[in-house]
Amino acid sequence: MAWLAQVPDPEIPVISITELGIVRKVGHDGGTLVVTVTPTYSGCPAVSLINLEIEAKLLEKGVEDFRIEQQLSPPWTTDLLSEEAREKLKDYGIAPPIDGTAADGRLVARAARLSGRSNLVIACPRCGSGNTERVSQFGSTPCKASYRCKDCLEPFDYFKCI
């Protein structure tokens, strides 16, 4: 598993695939190493690249008998992001998801957010101001929304809760 922590996420290279929480299990099936991966969402375009990077890392470490499996259930949620990954996202200029608002987070907060009655404040990762506004539901990738800080005027992505 430590080797897989060296594999960066192709869309956010400052965090690894283990910090992202998409590596669900590493085990053995007889003599075959089995790596089980859950994509952030079922249509994630980075899945094939992530699998190639895992394959390259395992081959680099001398592992030749392996299999990469995809596990869709239970689905990945942003609650699986490590604390270290959240800090790295912020340092990289991406507002991390707000705790407890993912699909398996607090249902009341999720219901309020989905109905538009949410009072969630997305803080600017650059200046920390909560005086921000959503520009678009989609940012540089489908798992992010585009925001703008009204104080420092910088645009930024918010990693949406899933």
Side-chain angles (χ1 to χ4, degrees):
M1 184 76 134
W3 296 339
L4 297 178
Q6 299 170 5
V7 177
D9 176 71
E11 292 180 344
I12 310 168
V14 294
I15 60 175
S16 74
I17 59 172
T18 58
E19 291 170 322
L20 188 58
I22 63 172
V23 177
R24 286 291 175 87
K25 188 170 48 175
V26 177
H28 285 90
D29 180 12
T32 302
L33 179 71
V34 180
V35 178
T36 305
V37 177
T38 297
T40 54
Y41 62 99
S42 60
C44 178
V47 169
S48 56
L49 183 54
I50 290 169
N51 289 344
L52 284 172
E53 289 180 356
I54 291 171
E55 181 179 335
K57 180 56 70 179
L58 294 176
L59 290 171
E60 173 190 312
K61 297 298 180 180
V63 179
E64 294 181 1
D65 188 6
F66 62 87
R67 183 173 71 239
I68 301 170
E69 295 182 344
Q70 193 174 75
Q71 177 184 329
L72 298 178
S73 180
W76 179 88
T77 76
T78 45
D79 288 339
L80 296 173
L81 278 167
S82 71
E83 264 317 302
E84 186 177 12
R86 291 170 189 271
E87 284 302 315
K88 287 180 178 179
L89 285 174
K90 190 175 171 185
D91 292 344
Y92 193 60
I94 299 173
I98 296 175
D99 287 337
T101 57
D104 63 349
R106 286 180 251 143
L107 292 178
V108 174
R110 182 167 168 74
R113 183 170 44 90
L114 292 174
S115 69
R117 295 179 288 113
S118 173
N119 58 357
L120 289 177
V121 175
I122 308 300
C124 174
R126 291 180 172 66
C127 72
S129 170
N131 188 18
T132 61
E133 66 180 351
R134 187 173 67 190
V135 176
S136 172
Q137 180 61 26
F138 297 99
S140 59
T141 62
C143 61
K144 295 178 229 150
S146 182
Y147 274 74
R148 181 176 70 97
C149 178
K150 293 180 179 177
D151 287 335
C152 73
L153 304 179
E154 287 291 325
F156 63 92
D157 276 341
Y158 167 63
F159 200 116
K160 294 186 280 191
C161 292
I162 299 175

